[in-house]
Amino acid sequence: MRGKSLRHGLTALLTAAMATTSVATGLVQATADTDGSSRSQPLRAHATARNFLIGTAVATGPLSNEQAYRDTLNREFNTVTAENAMKWDATEPNQGQFNFSGADQIMASAQANGQTVHGHTLVWHNQTPGWVQNLDANAMRTAIRNHINTVVGRYAGRIASWDVVNEVFDDNGGMRNSFWYQRLGESYIADAFRYARAADPNAKLCINDYNVEGINNKSTAMYNLVSRLRGQGVPIDCVGIQGHLSIQYGFPNDLRQNMERFAALGVDVKITELDVRMRMPADSNKLATQATYYRNVIDACLAVPRCNQLTVWGFTDKYSWVPDTFQGEGAALPYTENYAAKPAYQSLHDALAR
Ligand code: XIL
């Protein structure tokens, strides 16, 4: 067997994982080639060698409190996204009163570990305080401008890319009937991008959404909006495809084709929030299916030159939004709750190492 001597100090963790998890049969050991070849290196080494960003969402709790979390985070990933700490409710809970404690914590950690930062997110209908939602049109536009000026301005030059707007479409490809849309119509989208560009001319500015992996009404609406706004000179640099997938619903086989049509508009494409959930309990078959989903996503991204980033929405099942959000589902990430690499990890690794 390859990997007699395990790298990364995972031996004990794996042993613990085998003993305590019900999905042990699906686990793969972190491999280290005895010939010392590059296959044994962490994800970020392979990614960096090909000028690619491999990232994860980061939660401030375990970042503060847990060494095993920090070890895996900093060993494997060369870019990070704040899972919650840069959202409006965290950064401006009351009008004009900003709180950057969590965001600064993530920035400091990223800087210390040579990771770029993807900012998430400026204008979204969730996790935005009530005071914003109740403003009239003029006051809301002013609040967006002030929020973006302050948040983007604070990190100007230190955040590589921002999800400027998030989830602006409904599930059929219409504009989401959010409080933003109700008060401001579609204009808030162009305004947000212009404010962000003014606050940091060097950050890449993205529009981000879910259920836009394949070619469908929603991704076509995204395509049309990006095309139209760029035609008007609105500074949109990238499209973020979240990638919250489930093995129950089948793989979006036209993912690559979809990314190619976005790339043809002249924008970068990023997989911004990948996870692949399953009905619990997990078993080795489901984990193997999950691994094919991860492989298909990274293969598609690596095949499209303008797809320059793949970020997973957390890396360990210990801290995943999935069980809290999708009842009865879980095990969506590349590592178990005990930080053992799953077959999904191997998919990412092998694609990047190829
Ligand atoms: C989720 C976080 O993971 C949770 O911790 C939080 O309670 C809710 O938001 N799309 C997004 C992310 O753009 O910001 C969401 O993150 C997941 C769906």
Side-chain angles (χ1 to χ4, degrees):
M1 159 191 152
R2 206 155 30 87
K4 197 169 160 218
S5 66
L6 291 173
R7 288 272 300 264
H8 314 321
L10 270 177
T11 315
L13 290 168
L14 278 164
T15 307
M18 296 298 186
T20 57
T21 180
S22 61
V23 298
T25 46
L27 298 178
V28 286
Q29 300 197 338
T31 52
D33 285 358
T34 42
D35 63 1
S37 77
S38 63
R39 284 180 53 81
S40 62
Q41 292 177 16
L43 301 179
R44 66 182 288 177
H46 297 294
T48 301
R50 56 199 301 161
N51 200 21
F52 188 78
L53 295 168
I54 185 77
T56 179
V58 176
T60 51
L63 183 64
S64 297
N65 300 327
E66 206 183 308
Q67 191 62 47
Y69 181 91
R70 288 191 293 268
D71 286 346
T72 305
L73 166 68
N74 296 325
R75 183 185 70 234
E76 298 291 339
F77 300 98
N78 64 4
T79 187
V80 296
T81 303
E83 184 169 0
N84 290 300
M86 293 188 188
K87 292 171 181 174
W88 197 312
D89 61 353
T91 53
E92 194 186 5
N94 300 299
Q95 188 158 18
Q97 291 177 10
F98 289 86
N99 180 344
F100 292 110
S101 53
D104 283 355
Q105 182 196 345
I106 288 172
M107 294 300 296
S109 168
Q111 194 184 353
N113 290 285
Q115 293 154 329
T116 67
V117 178
H118 178 75
H120 177 80
T121 179
L122 298 168
V123 177
W124 189 27
H125 62 280
N126 283 336
Q127 293 176 274
T128 296
W131 70 262
V132 184
Q133 303 188 31
N134 295 327
L135 298 172
D136 67 25
N138 280 334
M140 188 178 278
R141 194 177 297 106
T142 302
I144 292 174
R145 190 177 61 219
N146 186 50
H147 183 77
I148 291 178
N149 268 341
T150 307
V151 178
V152 176
R154 179 180 183 87
Y155 300 115
R158 293 189 285 149
I159 286 203
S161 49
W162 271 104
D163 291 329
V164 175
V165 297
N166 195 30
E167 303 181 351
V168 303
F169 298 104
D170 67 27
D171 288 345
N172 302 316
M175 296 309 297
R176 181 184 294 277
N177 191 22
S178 62
F179 53 88
W180 310 114
Y181 187 75
Q182 287 171 11
R183 221 73 88 251
L184 299 168
E186 206 184 288
S187 67
Y188 78 92
I189 299 172
D191 286 347
F193 278 96
R194 291 191 169 112
Y195 301 150
R197 180 66 99 226
D200 183 354
N202 294 317
K204 299 293 184 194
L205 305 180
C206 307
I207 179 170
N208 192 51
D209 219 319
Y210 64 92
N211 285 355
V212 293
E213 289 75 29
I215 294 182
N216 56 40
N217 287 345
K218 191 171 177 179
S219 65
T220 297
M222 173 97 110
Y223 176 88
N224 290 335
L225 182 69
V226 171
S227 174
R228 183 156 43 86
L229 291 181
R230 280 175 56 88
Q232 296 166 11
V234 177
I236 303 183
D237 305 308
C238 34
V239 166
I241 295 174
Q242 291 185 6
H244 294 294
L245 304 178
S246 167
I247 63 168
Q248 295 180 79
Y249 302 132
F251 188 81
N253 286 313
D254 43 11
L255 171 62
R256 173 177 169 178
Q257 203 189 333
N258 189 39
M259 291 194 293
E260 279 167 347
R261 70 173 173 160
F262 282 112
L265 291 175
V267 292
D268 289 338
V269 184
K270 297 172 185 296
I271 304 292
T272 50
E273 306 183 14
L274 181 62
D275 49 22
V276 182
R277 60 191 189 270
M278 60 188 68
R279 302 231 37 105
M280 297 301 279
D283 62 34
S284 57
N285 283 333
K286 293 179 196 172
L287 292 173
T289 301
Q290 176 187 56
T292 67
Y293 279 51
Y294 272 86
R295 189 181 67 221
N296 290 343
V297 172
I298 194 156
D299 281 351
C301 183
L302 292 175
V304 177
R306 290 207 79 139
C307 187
N308 57 2
Q309 177 174 347
L310 186 154
T311 287
V312 289
W313 203 241
F315 53 93
T316 165
D317 291 332
K318 187 172 183 180
Y319 304 110
S320 166
W321 76 308
V322 167
D324 296 334
T325 312
F326 303 94
Q327 218 197 348
E329 295 182 84
L333 294 172
Y335 287 90
T336 68
E337 299 187 356
N338 297 306
Y339 298 96
K342 292 156 67 177
Y345 172 88
Q346 209 62 44
S347 291
L348 296 176
H349 180 273
D350 291 355
L352 289 168
R354 209 176 291 134

